[in-house]
Amino acid sequence: MTDSARLIYVYDPMCSWCWGYRPTWLALQQQLTAQLPELIIEYRLGGLAPDSDVAMPKDMQQFLSQTWHKIASQLGTEFNYDFWQDCQPRRSTYPACRACLIAREYGLEQAMILAIQQAYYLQAKNPSDNDTLINAAVSIGIEQAAFTERLLSEEVNLDLISELEVVHQLPVRGFPSLVLEVNGEALGIPLDYLNPQTSLDAVVSALG
């Protein structure tokens, strides 16, 4: 296998399908690490929705709530539907994306993803709100003042924009997505929400 091969997991921390895919993705990572220990696995943000203070329209709220029910039915994923009564939803995932970028600096990106997902999908808290993200950061061991300063900084916002520009050049049609970069080529890897073997076979095959 070429030394430069890497598998990129493209996600958004507020993507409900990413939450549904989490158990299979964890299983796939374990299998890849065991079978292809030299393969680099990287996380990259997709950025579902830019910053917005506008309340989410009722029809979009209904659509997303139905999506949660669909994922729960198909994958067995747990959701707390109180979110739609307890919170004021906004179509804004960039704050949560910036939180994950900051956590990456601490080597805690995966922990931050889970903290945001649990706050959103299990605790009915809104990750579009900075307070939710700050609490998530503290829960995984990041100092509150330092995190808050970074979260509000233009530097981290520019880092996110730069990452999104790179991701938009990849063969990504939605989130989550898997992209294998090998020998200077970016290959889309098929993804099965219930079976890690599909993606594993495709990666192994591509690497020959």
Side-chain angles (χ1 to χ4, degrees):
M1 186 180 77
T2 176
D3 291 337
S4 63
R6 60 178 182 154
L7 183 68
I8 302 170
Y9 175 62
V10 183
Y11 74 98
D12 188 290
M14 292 181 66
C15 163
S16 50
W17 284 104
C18 292
W19 171 237
Y21 183 57
R22 175 179 166 78
T24 301
W25 169 233
L26 293 177
L28 175 60
Q29 286 186 88
Q30 290 181 341
Q31 293 175 12
L32 287 167
T33 301
Q35 292 191 34
L36 301 167
E38 296 178 4
L39 178 67
I40 299 167
I41 298 176
E42 294 186 352
Y43 282 63
R44 289 292 177 264
L45 287 151
L48 264 175
D51 296 294
S52 175
D53 291 326
V54 178
M56 186 183 296
K58 289 295 182 181
D59 57 346
M60 179 171 283
Q61 291 189 41
Q62 186 175 13
F63 170 77
L64 290 176
S65 177
Q66 290 172 348
T67 300
W68 290 16
H69 283 282
K70 179 180 179 181
I71 295 169
S73 175
Q74 292 185 7
L75 307 180
T77 309
E78 183 179 354
F79 290 93
N80 183 344
Y81 302 99
D82 289 344
F83 173 83
W84 301 106
Q85 284 75 47
D86 295 350
C87 294
Q88 177 63 268
R90 305 197 309 282
R91 186 68 172 161
S92 181
T93 74
Y94 278 23
C97 290
R98 287 191 288 268
C100 290
L101 273 185
I102 298 165
R104 185 186 297 165
E105 299 169 5
Y106 292 84
L108 294 171
E109 184 173 8
Q110 294 184 55
M112 177 61 86
I113 296 168
L114 179 58
I116 291 172
Q117 289 173 330
Q118 289 178 330
Y120 187 18
Y121 298 115
L122 301 182
Q123 300 162 12
K125 297 176 182 176
N126 192 350
S128 297
D129 296 337
N130 288 336
D131 286 350
T132 299
L133 301 172
I134 292 167
N135 289 335
V138 171
S139 76
I140 63 172
I142 301 178
E143 199 273 322
Q144 179 173 336
F147 177 84
T148 302
E149 181 180 355
R150 292 287 286 151
L151 185 65
L152 301 177
S153 72
E154 182 60 20
E155 181 183 4
V156 171
N157 185 51
L158 292 174
D159 287 345
L160 175 61
I161 299 305
S162 295
E163 180 150 319
L164 297 183
E165 289 175 351
V166 173
V167 168
H168 291 163
Q169 304 303 313
L170 299 175
V172 171
R173 295 182 179 176
F175 313 122
S177 281
L178 295 171
V179 177
L180 182 68
E181 287 195 345
V182 57
N183 298 326
E185 190 175 0
L187 307 171
I189 297 297
L191 183 152
D192 186 321
Y193 283 93
L194 292 172
N195 185 5
Q197 195 67 40
T198 302
S199 299
L200 181 63
D201 290 345
V203 171
V204 170
S205 176
L207 294 176

